[in-house]
Amino acid sequence: THFGYKTVETNEKEQMVAGVFHSVAAKYDVMNDLMSFGIHRLWKRFTIDCSGIRKGQKVLDLAGGTGDLTAKFSRIVGETGQVVLADINDSMLKVGRDKLRNKGLGNNIAYVQANAEALPFPDNHFDLITIAFGLRNVTDKDKALASMQRVLKPGGRLLVLEFSKPQHEVMSKLYDFYSFNILPKMGSLVAQDSESYQYLAESIRMHPDQETLKAMMEQAGLEQVEYFNLTDGIVALHRGFKF
Ligand code: SAM
């Protein structure tokens, strides 16, 4: 346990999805930079800018993986705040924890192995929840969104950064070619793991588009939901509030 938070057991199906991330954990950061040409850094920067996060607040970086967002939040919330880096996968958590410790961060960070569908936190607890490139891996997304809504404080915000639907035909074609032809090859060359990157491409294609995700968030009880298309909608940032 960390800061008194209990972790939960995960079921077999989710363990299977998480298995992909056991396999990519060690190479995850380097692959992210390669596959996105470094642009994921801009998407994450934009997320921080839209978060309204302040010193002293409590943040949940859900499906936080190797902790890119956690590192930024940790600096902003300071010693009086707290960041929980939660992920279903202990390999990703371990890579994240080692990385953040090497950066000299950690005093205000808790690491929790948890399934987004059943968050092991009290009601009305966090000022901000982010889930970056995580929701598409979750089996029951509605259940996960309801769980996030539950642990958000009234007045709190949920930010979902995720692959979405390119807005223009040309971009859409380019992107399809890239993700089904080039991406798995990069995965096999750099990480000796084309299957995991094939899975990633497929999970991206199956993820709900901008309007569908917005409706799902509203269904979970979030309000004033809006989204921002990034890189022509290859990625979208959705934001909603709990009141
Ligand atoms: N947020 C990080 C980032 O943006 O770099 C990591 C994103 S990584 C593509 C997706 C993460 O989601 C993995 O670390 C994986 O273990 C985690 N994940 C998958 N299913 C999950 C679930 N049901 N609950 C919590 N985390 C999950």
Side-chain angles (χ1 to χ4, degrees), residues 28-188:
Y28 180 81
D29 283 336
V30 105
M31 286 304 291
N32 250 1
D33 274 332
L34 272 176
M35 292 183 317
S36 74
F37 313 106
I39 298 172
H40 75 102
R41 293 165 184 264
L42 303 180
W43 297 330
K44 286 170 181 163
R45 172 45 58 196
F46 184 78
T47 304
I48 303 285
D49 292 345
C50 284
S51 72
I53 186 70
R54 291 192 306 271
K55 205 169 154 56
Q57 291 191 320
K58 280 202 185 79
V59 185
L60 171 61
D61 182 13
L62 185 54
T66 59
D68 283 351
L69 286 175
T70 293
K72 292 179 164 56
F73 289 134
S74 166
R75 293 194 177 97
I76 299 170
V77 300
E79 278 173 18
T80 54
Q82 190 185 99
V83 186
V84 177
L85 170 51
D87 201 287
I88 203 171
N89 188 296
D90 56 339
S91 304
M92 292 292 282
L93 274 177
K94 187 174 182 316
V95 173
R97 194 184 54 204
D98 292 348
K99 182 171 88 178
L100 299 177
R101 284 189 179 157
N102 284 338
K103 289 183 184 216
L105 298 167
N107 288 341
N108 59 3
I109 303 173
Y111 301 88
V112 177
Q113 188 175 7
N115 186 342
E117 289 172 19
L119 292 171
F121 308 111
D123 294 358
N124 307 320
H125 191 67
F126 293 101
D127 298 288
L128 170 68
I129 301 177
T130 55
I131 178 164
F133 305 111
L135 191 63
R136 72 174 189 282
N137 299 300
V138 174
T139 314
D140 189 338
K141 296 174 184 57
D142 294 316
K143 200 170 164 195
L145 288 169
S147 190
M148 293 176 222
Q149 165 80 357
R150 179 183 66 76
V151 302
L152 263 187
K153 276 184 196 168
R157 292 135 292 167
L158 169 63
L159 298 184
V160 181
L161 183 66
E162 190 50 270
F163 291 103
S164 205
K165 198 171 166 225
Q167 297 300 285
H168 294 91
E169 189 68 19
V170 179
M171 185 59 114
S172 185
K173 292 252 160 66
L174 275 174
Y175 179 56
D176 268 351
F177 180 78
Y178 174 73
S179 47
F180 285 106
N181 294 282
I182 301 180
L183 205 139
K185 288 198 184 102
M186 279 165 86
S188 87

